[in-house]
Amino acid sequence: MEPKYIVKRADLEYNIRVLRNLAKGKVIWGVVKGNGYGLGMVPYARFLTAQGVALLAVSTAAEAAALLQALPALRVEGVFTHLSDAANAKCTALQYRRFTEGVRILQEAGIDTGLRHVCASTAFLRYPEMHLDAVRLGSALLGRLSVPDTLGLERIGWLEAQVTELKTLPAGWPVGYTSGVGVTEETNALRLRDRLRRVLHAGRRLLRADGLTVLVNGCRCPVRGVVGATAIEADVTDVPCAVGDTARIEVRPKFVDSAVPREYR
């Protein structure tokens, strides 16, 4: 089985409902830049529009062209700014004032500015007074915020791969890419062969085993050693599993290569 990234539809629907209630009637822009935050730009855009999120935000002309080609009913509208440092209230207030002044000048000149929006996910949660006509939600929809989550959002997505090997290793046996780590005692280990080095393109820190786990038959198992180009090893001592079982890796979708299929369940 080739690896695939799983998107649970029910969790996404739940996040949309929670955030829509918090928006209190403000229009929500679904941010689908960066391959739909890793969820696949076109399938994610189709999912959002099916859920009534009819306005979609991208960051490049190429993304806009691809989206317009896939969803020809879309059109371009609205004026916005991106708050560069939403954690800095003073800087944000200044930028907001400058934006609203610019909008006023345009409107006084008879120019229709369309929907005004300045808040992305972090600003949406911090500054309700700046919601204006619409808000742009990206990381909030995925339940993967850069600020504390006080809403109880669901974290969207996980990577699935198949267990291809299962071995008992003696104490001291090297595991992982470059064999740089040895197990400290007799250990049952599984191997997932799934091009993980290409799949998880998040840099060396993520590709080390520190803190990385896989979920096998409901049990969380620590990865041992460095993730290699073709395989990943995890400690499944005392965990019932067999070759062919499905392992689940909790990872942000934007860290998963766009060539890996996205499956909406």
Side-chain angles (χ1 to χ4, degrees):
M1 179 184 77
E2 287 296 302
K4 54 190 174 185
Y5 196 82
I6 306 303
V7 180
K8 190 175 177 182
R9 291 174 176 270
D11 287 350
L12 254 179
E13 291 168 357
Y14 170 80
N15 287 353
I16 291 171
R17 287 196 303 272
V18 171
L19 295 165
R20 184 174 277 144
N21 288 337
L22 188 62
K24 297 179 180 177
K26 299 294 184 182
V27 175
I28 291 176
W29 289 76
V31 182
V32 296
K33 67 179 181 179
N35 192 33
Y37 272 73
L39 300 186
M41 184 175 70
V42 171
Y44 185 38
R46 286 179 173 147
F47 180 89
L48 289 176
T49 55
Q51 297 299 315
V53 181
L55 295 171
L56 305 173
V58 295
S59 61
T60 68
E63 289 177 339
L67 202 56
L68 289 167
Q69 184 175 22
L71 302 169
L74 294 178
R75 65 179 185 274
V76 180
E77 61 178 63
V79 59
F80 79 102
T81 186
H82 180 72
L83 300 172
S84 60
D85 187 4
N88 185 326
K90 184 177 179 180
C91 175
T92 297
L94 175 61
Q95 187 176 349
Y96 180 72
R97 287 197 302 272
R98 288 175 174 172
F99 173 77
T100 54
E101 175 64 15
V103 170
R104 183 188 64 78
I105 293 171
L106 291 173
Q107 291 173 339
E108 289 180 351
I111 297 173
D112 182 6
T113 55
L115 290 173
R116 305 161 303 150
H117 49 103
V118 302
C119 287
S121 293
T122 297
F124 169 68
L125 297 174
R126 285 177 175 265
Y127 311 108
E129 71 279 9
M130 298 183 187
H131 287 179
L132 295 177
D133 301 322
V135 293
R136 303 184 305 275
L137 302 183
S139 58
L141 287 171
L142 274 65
R144 296 178 179 274
L145 297 165
S146 58
V147 295
D149 178 7
T150 60
L151 303 174
L153 298 172
E154 297 289 348
R155 294 169 70 86
I156 303 301
W158 64 84
L159 183 68
E160 282 188 357
Q162 224 171 25
V163 177
T164 56
E165 294 183 53
L166 187 62
K167 294 184 177 181
T168 299
L169 305 178
W173 192 269
V175 293
Y177 182 68
T178 72
S179 301
V181 177
V183 296
T184 57
E185 58 186 0
E186 185 175 274
T187 302
N188 290 335
L190 64 76
R191 172 169 288 181
L192 310 173
R193 290 187 181 277
D194 59 2
R195 307 194 314 274
L196 258 292
R197 176 66 60 139
R198 287 196 331 191
V199 169
L200 300 176
H201 56 80
R204 294 290 297 180
R205 184 176 180 183
L206 179 64
L207 296 181
R208 297 191 65 82
D210 304 337
L212 187 61
T213 63
V214 299
L215 194 68
V216 182
N217 295 327
C219 300
R220 194 165 298 282
C221 308
V223 171
R224 298 302 187 198
V226 176
V227 174
T230 60
I232 182 174
E233 286 88 26
D235 185 345
V236 291
T237 303
D238 299 325
V239 175
C241 66
V243 171
D245 284 353
T246 297
R248 169 172 163 169
I249 306 170
E250 301 289 350
V251 59
R252 290 176 177 266
K254 66 181 181 181
F255 292 153
V256 179
D257 193 285
S258 59
V260 175
R262 270 59 173 177
E263 180 178 312
Y264 282 66
R265 291 181 180 173

